[in-house]
Amino acid sequence: MNKGRVREPLQVLLLSIITCGIYFLYWLYITADEIRVYLQDESINPGMELLLSIICFPYVIYWFYKFGKLAGTAQAKAGEMVDDNSTLFILLAIFGLTIVGAMIMQGQLNKVWTKNSAIDL
């Protein structure tokens, strides 16, 4: 089973700061791709998600809502307890704290990727 890469949430924060947000954009893309592969959902287009996030900031708010829901779907597929933080992600994005949302989402996904690592062995 294809799974995503475990990343430390603090690493997402620090690399985003150090690269003036470039890593954050990379993180949006790679997270969308990892969820697409894991859920086998070809309707997810990481390139389009990234482009819309760059050219239209309100889309970032929607992105966090959408992928908050998808992260919950991934948790359910892995047999983990579902944490639906999509509303929290919207609030964080509205107040300019998208990086905090990214850290929380990465933590959620790490549980999924770790669970599947144990299964794959």
Side-chain angles (χ1 to χ4, degrees), residues 1 4-5 8 18 21 27 34 36 38 43 53 57-58 61 66 74 80 84 97 101 103 108-110 115 120-121:
M1 178 176 293
R5 180 174 167 221
E8 289 298 322
I18 290 169
W27 181 87
E34 289 172 348
R36 177 189 63 80
Y38 181 72
S43 70
S53 296
F57 179 75
I61 297 170
K66 176 181 175 180
E80 290 287 316
D84 185 353
L97 298 171
M103 293 171 65
Q108 287 179 284
L109 292 172
N110 284 348
K115 174 104 177 194
D120 289 342
L121 297 175

Side-chain angles (χ1 to χ4, degrees), residues 36-91:
R36 177 189 63 80
V37 170
Y38 181 72
L39 295 178
Q40 299 174 340
D41 185 347
E42 294 304 317
S43 70
I44 298 171
N45 183 336
M48 186 60 71
E49 300 288 343
L50 177 61
L51 178 63
L52 290 171
S53 296
I54 291 171
I55 63 174
C56 180
F57 179 75
Y59 190 81
V60 173
I61 297 170
Y62 171 70
W63 187 96
F64 271 97
Y65 174 79
K66 176 181 175 180
F67 280 88
K69 293 288 188 188
L70 290 171
T73 302
Q75 288 175 319
K77 181 177 179 177
E80 290 287 316
M81 187 175 86
V82 175
D83 295 324
D84 185 353
N85 289 319
S86 54
T87 304
L88 172 63
F89 294 149
I90 289 173
L91 293 173

